[in-house]
Amino acid sequence: MSLFTTIRLVIFLTVLVWSIIVLGIAAHFQDIFVANDLTRFIPFAIFVAAITLFIITALLISGRWMKDKGILSHTRTELALVGFLVGFWLALGLYTSLASIADVECDDDELYSTGTYHTQYRVLQVFALFNLILLGAYLFMLLGLALRRHFRGDKYVWTSCVTTTPWFSSSISMGKRPVLPTSQKSSRDMREVPTAGATDKRGGQTYVVFVPPPAGKTPRYYTVER
């Protein structure tokens, strides 16, 4: 795997693990607490963790087995989806940071206590912030690399596959150029050069067609018969 692919995989797997932890804690809170104003963060935490698991898993699958076969593997799609998740984790992190958890008290017994709740709440809060930091760092890294390639001439970087693009390469490709059928090429783009002494079996003349290349590209010659 390339360096970028390795970094992407490590970040996504870490986010998946921490999202599972957040989902487990929030589901536990949902099971033992009665809904009120102080527990509104619980269903939101469940939603954010669940949607993160779904989106990250889909991005990992598309990057591994659906390269260049769907819009889900495009750079612009991954940027949009990761930015979407960053917004949700930011909201969850702010909500849990500003909430008054000291106002929540439990009927202390052998199975659960107020101190246990506060500890679990802090774990949920910390992992929400960790996911925000990881996804935010990955978002800015990918956006910066994409903008660098775009400004260097790769106009197709936004629709290229994230896992196959050489992000850290010093050479920038111009991307795929659309190929027009021969019938749509203007006469000024092609010049016919007769090949000396070359004729086919039917007596027709063989020509070499010169197609002027784009800047920095190698000229190409095509042989046609008339």
Side-chain angles (χ1 to χ4, degrees):
M1 294 188 298
S2 64
L3 176 60
F4 175 85
T5 305
T6 303
I7 295 174
R8 176 180 181 269
L9 180 61
V10 171
I11 290 177
F12 280 3
L13 290 180
T14 306
V15 169
L16 284 178
V17 173
W18 289 348
S19 298
I20 292 174
I21 295 175
V22 171
L23 180 61
I25 295 175
H28 178 62
F29 287 166
Q30 183 72 17
D31 184 57
I32 65 175
F33 287 114
V34 177
N36 55 60
D37 292 342
L38 296 176
T39 60
R40 289 180 179 177
F41 74 92
I42 296 176
F44 183 58
I46 293 176
F47 169 78
V48 174
I51 197 67
T52 299
L53 292 174
F54 175 78
I55 291 178
I56 295 299
T57 301
L59 291 177
L60 287 174
I61 292 175
S62 66
R64 178 62 179 86
W65 290 288
M66 298 174 58
K67 298 176 181 178
D68 296 323
K69 293 183 179 180
I71 192 174
L72 195 59
S73 64
H74 291 178
T75 301
R76 61 184 180 185
T77 304
E78 186 151 317
L79 284 171
L81 292 177
V82 174
F84 175 78
L85 294 179
V86 167
F88 273 119
W89 284 107
L90 176 61
L92 181 60
L94 291 175
Y95 195 102
T96 55
S97 298
L98 300 177
S100 301
I101 65 169
D103 297 334
V104 178
E105 294 185 1
C106 307
D107 295 330
D108 295 345
D109 54 31
E110 295 180 356
L111 299 178
Y112 206 75
S113 65
T114 301
T116 302
Y117 164 73
H118 286 178
T119 300
Q120 293 178 343
Y121 185 92
R122 293 300 185 188
V123 172
L124 184 150
Q125 180 185 41
V126 168
F127 281 123
L129 293 176
F130 282 171
N131 273 352
L132 171 62
I133 293 172
L134 278 181
L135 290 174
Y138 176 74
L139 175 67
F140 284 110
M141 179 185 71
L142 180 58
L143 180 61
L145 292 173
L147 288 174
R148 185 188 70 162
R149 294 188 66 88
H150 177 83
F151 291 137
R152 289 188 178 185
D154 186 0
K155 306 303 181 182
Y156 298 91
V157 64
W158 307 106
T159 55
S160 62
C161 180
V162 174
T163 55
T164 58
T165 301
W167 295 108
F168 298 115
S169 175
S170 58
S171 60
I172 302 298
S173 172
M174 294 298 293
K176 298 180 180 179
R177 295 175 57 87
V179 179
L180 296 176
T182 304
S183 59
Q184 297 184 18
K185 295 178 180 178
S186 60
S187 58
R188 65 181 180 180
D189 292 334
M190 303 174 65
R191 296 201 298 271
E192 295 182 354
V193 182
T195 303
T199 58
D200 60 13
K201 295 181 179 179
R202 296 170 296 179
Q205 183 69 44
T206 300
Y207 291 83
V208 175
V209 179
F210 171 73
V211 180
K217 297 294 182 178
T218 304
R220 294 187 177 183
Y221 297 86
Y222 300 88
T223 302
V224 296
E225 297 178 352
R226 290 188 177 180

